[in-house]
Amino acid sequence: MNVSRIALAGGVAASTVLLLAGTASAHVSVQPQGEAAKGGYAVINFKVPNERDDASTTKLEVNFPTDHPLASVMPQPVPGWDIKVTTSKLAKPLQMHGKTINEAVSKVTWTGGKIEPGRFQQFPLSVGQLPEDADQLVFKAIQTYSNKEVVRWIEEPKEGADEPESPAPVLKLTAAADDAHGAAGADSKSSDSAEKSGETTTASASSSDSEDNTARVLGIVGIVIGVAGVAFGVLAGRRRTT
């Protein structure tokens, strides 16, 4: 009996810990598809869970960092949601691909859709050029519910400190990738090798088919000659008997 009670108490405690952990981690977050390399471009997803049992999420507003502005931001359509991209004039223009950029995206807002209780939604963006002098980007997000409640995920996490109550989404940046042109050249070489391999395989297959056809023809000719030989032998035998 005591063992059963202890097991039950342990199970309840474990469930409570899991519940609290799930609640603490259920906030707006951002993750790249693959890697977000410094100096490059990336596709990132803002994951928005619904934390309420009696209301739906109806709006998401993501504010972009002003210390490392991103000149190129392209949202991927999300069924049922309207997207508004807001740009602002830069205090210090950016140089990108030999061009001077005076404006950058300051905010992206999604409205018109609904994330129901117990569900989550991802909002993808293609962004770049990522900074080369930063290890992470902090995006402050504001989540609005159908009951007019507003949750501000704007607290920047500090290294070595406990996670804040309403942490802002943080995108971790990885080391700069290899030169894209070099990668493209490698892909081109791989493609050429694949094509040559394909040509060799096709030639081998054609040669094999030709050999098979020749063998079939010779086999048929051999059968015909054999039948003719048997017939000749029978006729010769009959003549001798006669």
Side-chain angles (χ1 to χ4, degrees):
M1 192 69 174
N2 290 335
V3 174
S4 300
R5 288 178 180 175
I6 292 173
L8 178 60
V12 171
S15 300
T16 303
V17 171
L18 290 174
L19 179 61
L20 292 176
T23 303
S25 62
H27 52 73
V28 177
S29 59
V30 60
Q31 291 292 335
Q33 292 183 11
E35 290 187 347
K38 297 178 182 180
Y41 291 77
V43 175
I44 60 177
N45 283 321
F46 286 92
K47 181 179 179 181
V48 183
N50 191 332
E51 295 185 305
R52 302 295 179 261
D53 297 328
D54 55 353
S56 299
T57 295
T58 56
K59 180 181 178 180
L60 174 68
E61 178 183 308
V62 174
N63 294 278
F64 282 65
T66 56
D67 55 343
H68 294 290
L70 300 175
S72 175
V73 176
M74 293 187 294
Q76 179 177 319
V78 179
W81 292 82
D82 299 320
I83 307 171
K84 180 181 179 182
V85 179
T86 303
T87 59
S88 298
K89 191 171 183 177
L90 296 173
K92 183 180 180 181
L94 295 174
Q95 296 295 324
M96 182 178 295
H97 304 302
K99 296 181 179 180
T100 300
I101 307 298
N102 295 310
E103 290 185 337
V105 172
S106 57
K107 180 171 61 177
V108 178
T109 306
W110 290 266
T111 57
K114 182 185 295 185
I115 307 174
E116 299 178 350
R119 305 289 179 88
F120 75 90
Q121 178 67 55
Q122 293 195 22
F123 298 90
L125 294 172
S126 174
V127 299
Q129 187 171 356
L130 299 174
E132 298 180 356
D133 57 348
D135 295 324
Q136 63 181 30
L137 293 177
V138 179
F139 300 87
K140 295 183 178 181
I142 300 175
Q143 182 179 10
T144 303
Y145 288 90
S146 56
N147 61 1
K148 307 303 181 183
E149 179 187 4
V150 177
V151 181
R152 302 177 184 276
W153 305 100
I154 61 175
E155 298 179 58
E156 185 173 346
K158 302 296 183 182
E159 187 175 354
D162 294 337
E163 184 179 70
E165 185 176 351
S166 301
V170 177
L171 177 67
K172 300 291 185 180
L173 303 182
T174 58
D178 293 335
D179 182 65
H181 297 292
D187 290 341
S188 177
K189 290 180 180 178
S190 298
S191 177
D192 292 342
S193 297
E195 290 179 0
K196 290 180 180 178
S197 177
E199 292 173 358
T200 302
T201 302
T202 303
S204 298
S206 299
S207 176
S208 178
D209 290 342
S210 178
E211 291 175 359
D212 289 343
N213 291 334
T214 302
R216 291 192 187 100
V217 172
L218 292 176
I220 293 172
V221 171
I223 292 173
V224 172
I225 293 175
V227 171
V230 172
F232 179 78
V234 172
L235 289 176
R238 287 180 178 176
R239 289 176 180 174
R240 290 173 184 170
T241 303
T242 303

